[in-house]
Amino acid sequence: MGESGKLVAELPRLWFGAPVAIGWDGAQWIEAAHAQARGIVFLTPHLGCFEITAQGYAQRFGAARGPITVLYRPARKAWLRALVDGARARPGLATAPTTLSGVKQMLKALKKGEAVGLLPDQVPPLGLGVWAPFFGRDAYTMTLSARLAQQSGAQVLLAWGERRGWGRGYVIHVRPLGTALAADPAAAAAQVNAAMQALV
């Protein structure tokens, strides 16, 4: 609850303020994927400051490597949707809605060698997920992240944002998934959940 409160408190600064100080741990994995001209699928759990990961990539790599396209669920209320969409519209950062057109947008970006980001611990719409283990229980898990990587040949990287104390900015940590995703959707979802569980 405390970490959620910190996220809510920092959002106005992140959305509407000037860029914040960001350090990197593992940026070499991003540079290695770029050197191979591969797209990147960033998997970021709802852990720490997940809002900073896409902003950090956009700041550091967006101008040279194209924007990062981030999957998001549009707000239901029109006034809030306009506010959030405007706040996230930054150089080097594109957004894709959780619709078929948004998925096509992400796949197109990956095939151009660009990066996409999504939060794989979100519950997918009914019929678009599988049951996979997560902390010892079966959780309804999206298969989109694995499908994007498999259809595009993209590199899968794990990324999470850590807050530094006393307003000193953030550190973005990046790690490779470490294993090839299985062709079977349920097995691939279990791999993704295991990676998210390890980060938590």
Side-chain angles (χ1 to χ4, degrees):
M1 291 304 293
E3 294 303 307
S4 296
K6 290 177 186 177
L7 178 65
V8 170
E10 71 196 351
L11 280 181
R13 174 72 172 84
L14 294 177
W15 283 358
F16 304 110
V20 296
I22 299 173
W24 287 84
D25 166 41
Q28 70 270 18
W29 299 108
I30 299 173
E31 290 158 357
H34 288 161
Q36 298 173 22
R38 295 176 72 185
I40 302 172
V41 176
F42 283 104
L43 302 182
T44 302
H46 286 84
L47 175 70
C49 182
F50 53 87
E51 284 281 342
I52 202 65
T53 55
Q55 285 190 21
Y57 180 92
Q59 285 177 30
R60 180 163 177 172
F61 299 102
R65 297 295 180 174
I68 179 170
T69 302
V70 180
L71 187 70
Y72 79 108
R73 183 171 291 138
R76 292 191 178 129
K77 300 203 178 285
W79 68 268
L80 184 57
R81 188 180 317 127
L83 177 71
V84 172
D85 290 355
R88 286 180 169 158
R90 292 175 174 259
L93 179 58
T95 55
T98 51
T99 62
L100 181 57
S101 65
V103 173
K104 288 180 178 177
Q105 180 184 341
M106 296 183 87
L107 195 53
K108 184 177 178 182
L110 287 171
K111 288 183 176 177
K112 289 195 301 186
E114 295 175 356
V116 303
L118 62 161
L119 293 97
D121 53 355
Q122 289 183 329
V123 179
L126 193 61
L128 296 179
V130 295
W131 291 95
F134 188 59
F135 283 101
R137 302 182 68 165
D138 283 345
Y140 196 58
T141 305
M142 69 165 62
T143 58
L144 177 60
S145 54
R147 286 188 290 124
L148 287 172
Q150 289 163 344
Q151 290 179 26
S152 66
Q155 172 75 46
V156 180
L157 296 177
L158 313 176
W160 68 101
E162 176 190 356
R163 295 180 189 90
R164 288 176 167 161
W166 301 100
R168 291 179 293 129
Y170 303 85
V171 177
I172 297 176
H173 300 274
V174 180
R175 299 289 183 272
L177 181 61
T179 182
L181 287 167
D184 175 67
Q191 287 175 286
V192 170
N193 278 1
M196 297 301 100
Q197 181 175 316
L199 295 187
V200 171

